[in-house]
Amino acid sequence: MLDLTGRAAVVTGSSRGIGRAIALKLATLGANLVVNYHSSEDAAREVVEQIKADAGEAIPFQADVKQANEAKELIETALQAFGRLDILVNNVGITRDTLLMRMKEKDWDVVLETNLKGTFNCTKVAQRPMIRQRYGRIINITSVSGIAGQVGQANYSASKAGIIGFTKAVARELGGRNITVNAVAPGYVPTDQTADLPQELIDHILELTPLKRPGTAEEIANAVAFLASEEASYVTGQVLAVDGGMMAMML
């Protein structure tokens, strides 16, 4: 059984959706959590209360990770609360979907800054205590859109493809310090972020998925938990597609 007892973790964007499931999963395995949110304070506090009700330790912290100073404060909060940082899950992500010919510059900028720069900001700060303790697990949430691209998601696909390149580069930089860096690429998972997808697109995605069903946030969380554990100690620089087999059909 996976065991994260005594580990300290930060999960960005963990008040809802996949991030929430990841935070709850890591907590059930014994990790102490910083539950990060941008605007959903009530939802974040509900996650914290659920963790505490199950005898876990967690604190909420508001931070907009695309802002370097706020990302720094987020990581420092974990260090102050738990005395160490073992696991960073860069989960926060947003979409501003539209065809490229209609895409506004601000829609490109905010998606790249939140998804890719936010991952950079948190990782840059988190690596320092991990290097000092010669231990760390960094898991970045990318997407199958970052592997194969998606119509109407030039900004999102670019940000998630960037996370894949970032993951591989940082894995090479930090491997000698016993820090693993991996990515998880979810397929279609019903969340608030995917709620506005047209039904015809959902049907097309499921047709391309050998398992013929959506994934769940809990299934993504299970993959993250593995990569955060000792069982994955020799896994780094990898992109794990948790997509029901979709990529096997598309590539």
Side-chain angles (χ1 to χ4, degrees), residues 209-235:
T209 303
L211 290 185
K212 302 302 181 187
R213 66 169 178 83
T216 67
E218 289 72 24
E219 287 171 321
I220 309 306
N222 290 339
V224 172
F226 166 69
L227 292 172
S229 73
E230 284 303 301
E231 279 78 354
S233 58
Y234 202 54
V235 180

mmCIF file of all heavy atoms in Angstrom, residues 209-235:
data_model
loop_
_atom_site.group_PDB
_atom_site.id
_atom_site.type_symbol
_atom_site.label_atom_id
_atom_site.label_comp_id
_atom_site.label_asym_id
_atom_site.label_seq_id
_atom_site.Cartn_x
_atom_site.Cartn_y
_atom_site.Cartn_z
ATOM 1 N N THR A 209 -11.813 7.086 -27.295
ATOM 2 C CA THR A 209 -11.310 6.505 -26.052
ATOM 3 C C THR A 209 -11.659 5.029 -25.998
ATOM 4 O O THR A 209 -12.838 4.676 -25.933
ATOM 5 C CB THR A 209 -11.924 7.230 -24.832
ATOM 6 O OG1 THR A 209 -11.636 8.627 -24.919
ATOM 7 C CG2 THR A 209 -11.362 6.673 -23.533
ATOM 8 N N PRO A 210 -10.671 4.137 -26.026
ATOM 9 C CA PRO A 210 -10.972 2.704 -26.019
ATOM 10 C C PRO A 210 -11.863 2.254 -24.866
ATOM 11 O O PRO A 210 -12.684 1.345 -25.041
ATOM 12 C CB PRO A 210 -9.589 2.061 -25.936
ATOM 13 C CG PRO A 210 -8.707 3.026 -26.653
ATOM 14 C CD PRO A 210 -9.237 4.382 -26.264
ATOM 15 N N LEU A 211 -11.728 2.869 -23.696
ATOM 16 C CA LEU A 211 -12.579 2.465 -22.567
ATOM 17 C C LEU A 211 -13.998 3.018 -22.673
ATOM 18 O O LEU A 211 -14.873 2.644 -21.892
ATOM 19 C CB LEU A 211 -11.945 2.905 -21.245
ATOM 20 C CG LEU A 211 -10.670 2.154 -20.843
ATOM 21 C CD1 LEU A 211 -10.193 2.595 -19.465
ATOM 22 C CD2 LEU A 211 -10.870 0.639 -20.865
ATOM 23 N N LYS A 212 -14.233 3.925 -23.619
ATOM 24 C CA LYS A 212 -15.582 4.431 -23.941
ATOM 25 C C LYS A 212 -16.290 5.090 -22.762
ATOM 26 O O LYS A 212 -17.524 5.038 -22.654
ATOM 27 C CB LYS A 212 -16.467 3.285 -24.485
ATOM 28 C CG LYS A 212 -15.911 2.602 -25.713
ATOM 29 C CD LYS A 212 -15.689 3.563 -26.857
ATOM 30 C CE LYS A 212 -15.140 2.858 -28.096
ATOM 31 N NZ LYS A 212 -14.759 3.810 -29.157
ATOM 32 N N ARG A 213 -15.529 5.724 -21.903
ATOM 33 C CA ARG A 213 -16.135 6.450 -20.789
ATOM 34 C C ARG A 213 -15.202 7.569 -20.360
ATOM 35 O O ARG A 213 -14.007 7.545 -20.645
ATOM 36 C CB ARG A 213 -16.401 5.521 -19.606
ATOM 37 C CG ARG A 213 -15.137 4.961 -18.943
ATOM 38 C CD ARG A 213 -15.452 4.265 -17.628
ATOM 39 N NE ARG A 213 -14.279 3.683 -16.989
ATOM 40 C CZ ARG A 213 -13.424 4.352 -16.215
ATOM 41 N NH1 ARG A 213 -13.602 5.644 -15.992
ATOM 42 N NH2 ARG A 213 -12.383 3.733 -15.659
ATOM 43 N N PRO A 214 -15.745 8.557 -19.656
ATOM 44 C CA PRO A 214 -14.870 9.595 -19.101
ATOM 45 C C PRO A 214 -14.028 9.021 -17.965
ATOM 46 O O PRO A 214 -14.377 7.990 -17.360
ATOM 47 C CB PRO A 214 -15.856 10.642 -18.567
ATOM 48 C CG PRO A 214 -17.192 10.271 -19.096
ATOM 49 C CD PRO A 214 -17.166 8.811 -19.376
ATOM 50 N N GLY A 215 -12.956 9.712 -17.651
ATOM 51 C CA GLY A 215 -12.216 9.390 -16.454
ATOM 52 C C GLY A 215 -12.836 10.088 -15.257
ATOM 53 O O GLY A 215 -13.784 10.871 -15.378
ATOM 54 N N THR A 216 -12.311 9.809 -14.078
ATOM 55 C CA THR A 216 -12.754 10.489 -12.872
ATOM 56 C C THR A 216 -11.562 11.207 -12.250
ATOM 57 O O THR A 216 -10.408 10.847 -12.474
ATOM 58 C CB THR A 216 -13.333 9.505 -11.840
ATOM 59 O OG1 THR A 216 -12.272 8.656 -11.348
ATOM 60 C CG2 THR A 216 -14.434 8.646 -12.457
ATOM 61 N N ALA A 217 -11.878 12.218 -11.460
ATOM 62 C CA ALA A 217 -10.815 12.952 -10.768
ATOM 63 C C ALA A 217 -10.033 12.013 -9.853
ATOM 64 O O ALA A 217 -8.813 12.157 -9.696
ATOM 65 C CB ALA A 217 -11.423 14.102 -9.966
ATOM 66 N N GLU A 218 -10.719 11.049 -9.272
ATOM 67 C CA GLU A 218 -10.064 10.105 -8.369
ATOM 68 C C GLU A 218 -9.063 9.229 -9.115
ATOM 69 O O GLU A 218 -8.012 8.870 -8.557
ATOM 70 C CB GLU A 218 -11.104 9.249 -7.663
ATOM 71 C CG GLU A 218 -11.944 9.976 -6.628
ATOM 72 C CD GLU A 218 -12.959 10.954 -7.241
ATOM 73 O OE1 GLU A 218 -13.340 10.757 -8.422
ATOM 74 O OE2 GLU A 218 -13.348 11.908 -6.551
ATOM 75 N N GLU A 219 -9.347 8.891 -10.365
ATOM 76 C CA GLU A 219 -8.405 8.089 -11.151
ATOM 77 C C GLU A 219 -7.134 8.877 -11.471
ATOM 78 O O GLU A 219 -6.031 8.319 -11.495
ATOM 79 C CB GLU A 219 -9.084 7.586 -12.416
ATOM 80 C CG GLU A 219 -10.100 6.478 -12.133
ATOM 81 C CD GLU A 219 -10.946 6.107 -13.337
ATOM 82 O OE1 GLU A 219 -11.344 7.017 -14.098
ATOM 83 O OE2 GLU A 219 -11.218 4.901 -13.506
ATOM 84 N N ILE A 220 -7.278 10.166 -11.693
ATOM 85 C CA ILE A 220 -6.093 11.004 -11.887
ATOM 86 C C ILE A 220 -5.309 11.090 -10.585
ATOM 87 O O ILE A 220 -4.077 11.000 -10.568
ATOM 88 C CB ILE A 220 -6.491 12.410 -12.362
ATOM 89 C CG1 ILE A 220 -7.434 12.345 -13.584
ATOM 90 C CG2 ILE A 220 -5.251 13.229 -12.675
ATOM 91 C CD1 ILE A 220 -6.912 11.546 -14.743
ATOM 92 N N ALA A 221 -6.018 11.256 -9.482
ATOM 93 C CA ALA A 221 -5.372 11.353 -8.172
ATOM 94 C C ALA A 221 -4.593 10.091 -7.839
ATOM 95 O O ALA A 221 -3.520 10.159 -7.220
ATOM 96 C CB ALA A 221 -6.414 11.637 -7.095
ATOM 97 N N ASN A 222 -5.101 8.938 -8.227
ATOM 98 C CA ASN A 222 -4.394 7.684 -7.967
ATOM 99 C C ASN A 222 -3.044 7.655 -8.662
ATOM 100 O O ASN A 222 -2.041 7.182 -8.102
ATOM 101 C CB ASN A 222 -5.237 6.498 -8.435
ATOM 102 C CG ASN A 222 -6.459 6.266 -7.570
ATOM 103 O OD1 ASN A 222 -6.516 6.714 -6.420
ATOM 104 N ND2 ASN A 222 -7.446 5.576 -8.106
ATOM 105 N N ALA A 223 -3.001 8.167 -9.892
ATOM 106 C CA ALA A 223 -1.737 8.206 -10.635
ATOM 107 C C ALA A 223 -0.753 9.170 -9.976
ATOM 108 O O ALA A 223 0.447 8.884 -9.863
ATOM 109 C CB ALA A 223 -1.991 8.615 -12.083
ATOM 110 N N VAL A 224 -1.253 10.312 -9.537
ATOM 111 C CA VAL A 224 -0.404 11.285 -8.851
ATOM 112 C C VAL A 224 0.156 10.692 -7.566
ATOM 113 O O VAL A 224 1.348 10.855 -7.252
ATOM 114 C CB VAL A 224 -1.189 12.583 -8.565
ATOM 115 C CG1 VAL A 224 -0.372 13.518 -7.675
ATOM 116 C CG2 VAL A 224 -1.565 13.277 -9.865
ATOM 117 N N ALA A 225 -0.690 9.994 -6.811
ATOM 118 C CA ALA A 225 -0.249 9.393 -5.556
ATOM 119 C C ALA A 225 0.882 8.397 -5.790
ATOM 120 O O ALA A 225 1.854 8.344 -5.020
ATOM 121 C CB ALA A 225 -1.428 8.715 -4.867
ATOM 122 N N PHE A 226 0.783 7.613 -6.857
ATOM 123 C CA PHE A 226 1.861 6.679 -7.174
ATOM 124 C C PHE A 226 3.161 7.420 -7.432
ATOM 125 O O PHE A 226 4.216 7.077 -6.880
ATOM 126 C CB PHE A 226 1.480 5.830 -8.385
ATOM 127 C CG PHE A 226 2.652 5.090 -8.983
ATOM 128 C CD1 PHE A 226 3.259 4.044 -8.304
ATOM 129 C CD2 PHE A 226 3.165 5.461 -10.219
ATOM 130 C CE1 PHE A 226 4.352 3.378 -8.848
ATOM 131 C CE2 PHE A 226 4.257 4.801 -10.776
ATOM 132 C CZ PHE A 226 4.852 3.756 -10.078
ATOM 133 N N LEU A 227 3.109 8.454 -8.259
ATOM 134 C CA LEU A 227 4.322 9.200 -8.596
ATOM 135 C C LEU A 227 4.897 9.941 -7.394
ATOM 136 O O LEU A 227 6.095 10.232 -7.356
ATOM 137 C CB LEU A 227 4.033 10.177 -9.733
ATOM 138 C CG LEU A 227 3.734 9.529 -11.088
ATOM 139 C CD1 LEU A 227 3.276 10.577 -12.091
ATOM 140 C CD2 LEU A 227 4.945 8.765 -11.621
ATOM 141 N N ALA A 228 4.058 10.236 -6.408
ATOM 142 C CA ALA A 228 4.517 10.913 -5.194
ATOM 143 C C ALA A 228 5.105 9.951 -4.172
ATOM 144 O O ALA A 228 5.704 10.387 -3.188
ATOM 145 C CB ALA A 228 3.356 11.677 -4.556
ATOM 146 N N SER A 229 4.986 8.661 -4.410
ATOM 147 C CA SER A 229 5.339 7.656 -3.417
ATOM 148 C C SER A 229 6.730 7.072 -3.648
ATOM 149 O O SER A 229 7.356 7.289 -4.690
ATOM 150 C CB SER A 229 4.322 6.522 -3.445
ATOM 151 O OG SER A 229 4.510 5.719 -4.608
ATOM 152 N N GLU A 230 7.185 6.295 -2.686
ATOM 153 C CA GLU A 230 8.459 5.599 -2.812
ATOM 154 C C GLU A 230 8.423 4.543 -3.908
ATOM 155 O O GLU A 230 9.465 4.188 -4.470
ATOM 156 C CB GLU A 230 8.840 4.946 -1.478
ATOM 157 C CG GLU A 230 9.345 5.929 -0.449
ATOM 158 C CD GLU A 230 10.553 6.710 -0.952
ATOM 159 O OE1 GLU A 230 11.571 6.077 -1.293
ATOM 160 O OE2 GLU A 230 10.465 7.945 -1.020
ATOM 161 N N GLU A 231 7.245 4.034 -4.201
ATOM 162 C CA GLU A 231 7.117 3.019 -5.250
ATOM 163 C C GLU A 231 7.528 3.560 -6.614
ATOM 164 O O GLU A 231 7.847 2.786 -7.523
ATOM 165 C CB GLU A 231 5.684 2.474 -5.294
ATOM 166 C CG GLU A 231 5.383 1.409 -4.259
ATOM 167 C CD GLU A 231 5.139 1.959 -2.860
ATOM 168 O OE1 GLU A 231 5.307 3.187 -2.646
ATOM 169 O OE2 GLU A 231 4.795 1.173 -1.970
ATOM 170 N N ALA A 232 7.527 4.883 -6.774
ATOM 171 C CA ALA A 232 7.919 5.504 -8.047
ATOM 172 C C ALA A 232 9.299 6.140 -7.955
ATOM 173 O O ALA A 232 9.621 7.058 -8.724
ATOM 174 C CB ALA A 232 6.896 6.545 -8.456
ATOM 175 N N SER A 233 10.146 5.661 -7.068
ATOM 176 C CA SER A 233 11.433 6.307 -6.805
ATOM 177 C C SER A 233 12.386 6.273 -7.997
ATOM 178 O O SER A 233 13.332 7.053 -8.050
ATOM 179 C CB SER A 233 12.102 5.665 -5.589
ATOM 180 O OG SER A 233 12.286 4.273 -5.797
ATOM 181 N N TYR A 234 12.157 5.377 -8.961
ATOM 182 C CA TYR A 234 13.042 5.287 -10.136
ATOM 183 C C TYR A 234 12.331 5.768 -11.402
ATOM 184 O O TYR A 234 12.737 5.455 -12.513
ATOM 185 C CB TYR A 234 13.533 3.848 -10.307
ATOM 186 C CG TYR A 234 14.806 3.712 -11.117
ATOM 187 C CD1 TYR A 234 15.956 4.424 -10.780
ATOM 188 C CD2 TYR A 234 14.863 2.868 -12.222
ATOM 189 C CE1 TYR A 234 17.118 4.294 -11.509
ATOM 190 C CE2 TYR A 234 16.028 2.723 -12.971
ATOM 191 C CZ TYR A 234 17.155 3.442 -12.609
ATOM 192 O OH TYR A 234 18.313 3.307 -13.342
ATOM 193 N N VAL A 235 11.293 6.554 -11.209
ATOM 194 C CA VAL A 235 10.531 7.108 -12.332
ATOM 195 C C VAL A 235 10.722 8.617 -12.347
ATOM 196 O O VAL A 235 10.359 9.304 -11.388
ATOM 197 C CB VAL A 235 9.028 6.774 -12.202
ATOM 198 C CG1 VAL A 235 8.260 7.358 -13.395
ATOM 199 C CG2 VAL A 235 8.805 5.274 -12.090
#
